[in-house]
Structures are given as C-alpha cells and as structure tokens.
Amino acid sequence: MLKKQYAVIGLGRFGSSVAAYLTGMGYEVLAVDDNEERVQDIVHQVTHAVSADSTDEEAMKALGIRNFDVVVVAIGQDIQASIMTTLIVKELGVPHIVVKAQNDMHGKVLSKIGADKVVFPERDMGLRVAHHLISPNILEHIELSGDFSIVEMKAPPAFVNKNLKQLDFRAKFGCNVLAVKRGEDMDIAPRADAPLLQGDVLVIVGKNERLMKLEQTYA
Ligand code: ADP
C-alpha cells in the first residue's frame, strides 16, 4: 500500500512540529509558508519545503495540492487566510483536511466550509494542563465522544494489593479497565483476580461523569 502524502500549510510552531514529526515517521511531506525564512528553517526536516501564498488558488494548483491525501492548514493568527486556504484546498478536492482554529467561531466556519477535522491545540493543551493540576493521578485523558473517555490513572493506594474483583470495579465505578501498565509491560487483558501493584497505571474507559467521580474520589 502506498504511504499517505501530507501537505502542511503554515509553518508556525504548530505546523512545523506536525510537518517534522510526519517526516520523521517516514511520510512524504510538503511544507508551505509564504514566509521564506520559515521555509528555510524547515527545509532539512521535510521532504519538500516551498514558499507560496496559500490564498492564491493558482499557486496551490501549481503545487499540485490536489494530489495530497491530507492537507493540514496550520495558519493561526490570520483567520481570513486560514478560511480562504481551507476553501481553496476543499475546492481542489483534497480528501482529508485538518485545520487549526483560533476560537469557536473560527472552528464553526471551518467545519461549515468542509474541514474534516478542526483542532484547537492551545485550548486542548490548556484543558489538559488544568485537568492534570486538579487530578495529578490522571496521566492521560482521551475524549472518545462527548460522553465517553479513556483515562490513564495511577493506581491509588486504596487499589494496591487488591484485584479488580475485590474492588468491584465495574459495578462500583461504572467503568471498565482495558489494560494495566506495569513498567514497560502492558497487560491488555487484565484478569479480575490479579492483584494491582504500586506504580501500576490503569487504562480505563467509561462515561465522563463516572470517570470524573472516580478521579475526584482518588485525586
Ligand atoms: P503558531 O501559533 O502555530 O506559531 P502562526 O499563526 O504564528 O502559528 O503561524 C502561521 C504561519 O502561517 C506563519 O508562519 C505564516 O507565515 C503562515 N501564513 C500565514 N498566512 C499565510 C498564507 N496566506 N500562505 C502561506 N502561509 C501563511
């Protein structure tokens, strides 16, 4: 199977780290910015880096943007340029478009004009940091939908040397333990009768309200 080809437009902090990471993972990446200095800064970290104005449809056609599987529009400050770029890339027929939004209204407009995924990196990172401050035992939080999430939680002292059966985990907390991480090992089918040890990390799936209760009880 052919590897997906990515284009990243806008090489600020967000766009350049997306572009460099994808290249590092072995994908072909075209990085685009209208600022020549930004292009020069990344030229050795991506497959191709070019200077172009992404609000210029002809320039985008000339770059063959329509041939990319995924285009990431990472223009943050200039909301007008972000919207115009998204529209052009959509009209050129790119199958999957991911766009960084500055705020809710910007995000709404992007979804309306056909962005397949809208991301809010600053807001999401702020929420994660705040969440971690409130619940230091929660190492990771992945939202699956508006109602459900997966969290990684350090086994609180009350869990140590007890097993899931003794803890009556499912009935008491209304959540499911998907896996238990122990050091470098990951048990993806944890047995109900295996005792949890200090330092274990539980990977738990559940309804947000139940997870919140669990977190608050063992924060
Ligand atoms: P971050 O917050 O991730 O650093 P910025 O908004 O500061 O994001 O950076 C966005 C980048 O997008 C800048 O490097 C800027 O030069 C680039 N950019 C803005 N408008 C255009 C455009 N019309 N065409 C191409 N690149 C653009």
Side-chain angles (χ1 to χ4, degrees), residues 130-210:
H131 196 199
H132 187 64
L133 290 173
I134 296 169
S135 315
N137 277 337
I138 299 298
L139 307 175
E140 196 64 78
H141 183 132
I142 302 163
E143 208 171 283
L144 296 176
S145 71
D147 286 340
F148 291 89
S149 299
I150 291 179
V151 298
E152 277 189 12
M153 181 189 194
K154 271 196 240 167
F159 287 12
V160 174
N161 295 327
K162 299 226 171 70
N163 61 40
L164 295 172
K165 205 166 166 185
Q166 288 164 328
L167 290 169
D168 202 9
F169 204 91
R170 222 173 264 156
K172 207 148 138 204
F173 306 113
C175 305
N176 222 1
V177 178
L178 294 176
V180 176
K181 282 191 194 175
R182 185 166 296 157
E184 295 295 302
D185 291 334
M186 179 92 157
D187 181 358
I188 55 162
R191 290 167 52 114
D193 58 1
L196 296 167
L197 304 182
Q198 191 165 0
D200 280 357
V201 173
L202 311 185
V203 183
I204 307 166
V205 65
K207 261 198 152 175
N208 289 336
E209 66 217 50
R210 300 304 297 265

Side-chain angles (χ1 to χ4, degrees), residues 30-43:
L30 168 70
V32 182
D33 202 294
D34 62 356
N35 178 330
E36 182 62 37
E37 255 175 58
R38 292 256 161 115
V39 174
Q40 285 312 318
D41 284 346
I42 206 164
V43 77

Side-chain angles (χ1 to χ4, degrees), residues 66-119:
R66 62 156 59 94
N67 300 320
F68 287 84
D69 303 293
V70 182
V71 171
V72 180
V73 180
I75 298 171
Q77 304 295 328
D78 188 344
I79 290 182
Q80 191 178 334
S82 154
I83 292 171
M84 279 178 67
T85 302
T86 305
L87 203 53
I88 289 171
V89 170
K90 183 77 190 174
E91 286 193 339
L92 288 175
V94 171
H96 195 75
I97 306 170
V98 180
V99 193
K100 164 181 145 160
Q102 283 291 86
N103 54 50
D104 281 344
M105 195 46 86
H106 183 198
K108 256 187 202 165
V109 174
L110 294 170
S111 298
K112 277 251 151 55
I113 61 172
D116 298 286
K117 188 164 177 61
V118 177
V119 294

Side-chain angles (χ1 to χ4, degrees), residues 8 10-12 15-17 19-21 23-24 27-33 35-51:
V8 178
L11 304 172
S16 51
S17 56
Y21 185 80
T23 315
Y27 292 94
E28 196 167 309
V29 177
L30 168 70
V32 182
D33 202 294
N35 178 330
E36 182 62 37
E37 255 175 58
R38 292 256 161 115
V39 174
Q40 285 312 318
D41 284 346
I42 206 164
V43 77
H44 297 298
Q45 296 174 61
V46 294
T47 325
H48 307 285
V50 294
S51 167

